[in-house]
């Protein structure tokens, strides 16, 4: 089971992109997901996930934006800077986790001032 703790550890462990897309374990995607998610890599080095609607920003991802590809028992996770795409191995379902934006120090100060009034 993928918990919030696991998700946070993925963001922490893979906070930086690899120096090259060649360092990603792209083979995991083709070994586990080609039949269920109809994935491909185009001529411009973009990962295409055809099980995600074309209008979604997660349908076509530049390989240079991917921080890691991680295998779990029933899912493959594609870790990006501020989001993680979880693709099921057995069907075409996907789940996307979007990292919450933390308020800046000024926003926290301003928010405290307005709530204290």
């Amino acid at each position: 089971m993928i918990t919030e703790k696991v998700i946070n550890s993925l963001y922490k462990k893979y906070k930086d992109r690899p120096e090259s897309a060649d360092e990603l374990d792209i083979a995991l995607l083709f070994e586990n997901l080609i039949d269920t998610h109809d994935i491909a890599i185009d001529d411009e080095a973009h990962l295409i996930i055809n099980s995600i609607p074309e209008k979604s920003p997660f349908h076509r991802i530049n390989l240079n934006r991917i921080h890691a590809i991680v295998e779990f028992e029933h899912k493959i996770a594609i870790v990006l800077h501020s989001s993680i795409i979880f693709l099921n191995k057995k069907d075409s379902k996907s789940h996307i986790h979007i990292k919450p934006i933390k308020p800046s120090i000024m926003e926290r100060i301003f928010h405290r001032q307005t709530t204290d009034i």
Side-chain angles (χ1 to χ4, degrees), residues 23 49 55 66-67 89:
E23 295 177 32
I49 306 170
K55 292 181 180 181
I66 299 174
H67 289 223
K89 290 182 180 179

Side-chain angles (χ1 to χ4, degrees), residues 41-94:
I41 296 178
D42 67 11
D43 295 336
E44 299 172 354
H46 289 94
L47 173 66
I48 310 295
I49 306 170
N50 287 305
S51 62
I52 296 177
E54 283 187 45
K55 292 181 180 181
S56 169
F58 300 101
H59 173 76
R60 183 175 185 253
I61 304 163
N62 189 317
L63 289 176
N64 291 330
R65 293 286 187 206
I66 299 174
H67 289 223
I69 299 169
V70 182
E71 183 175 21
F72 291 93
E73 186 177 354
H74 300 291
K75 299 180 186 299
I76 301 288
I78 301 171
V79 182
L80 306 170
H81 177 267
S82 300
S83 55
I84 303 173
I85 305 166
F86 293 100
L87 301 170
N88 289 5
K89 290 182 180 179
K90 295 184 181 185
D91 58 36
S92 63
K93 292 181 182 175
S94 58

Side-chain angles (χ1 to χ4, degrees), residues 5 7 13 19 24 50 53 58 85 92-93 95 104 116:
K5 186 176 181 180
I7 290 170
K13 183 175 182 179
E19 289 184 24
L24 296 170
N50 287 305
F58 300 101
I85 305 166
S92 63
K93 292 181 182 175
H95 305 278
S104 70
D116 291 342

Side-chain angles (χ1 to χ4, degrees), residues 15 20 23 28 38 41 53 63 68-69 71 98 104 110 112:
K15 65 181 176 182
S20 166
E23 295 177 32
L28 270 177
D38 189 21
I41 296 178
L63 289 176
I69 299 169
E71 183 175 21
I98 298 177
S104 70
F110 182 73
R112 280 198 181 126

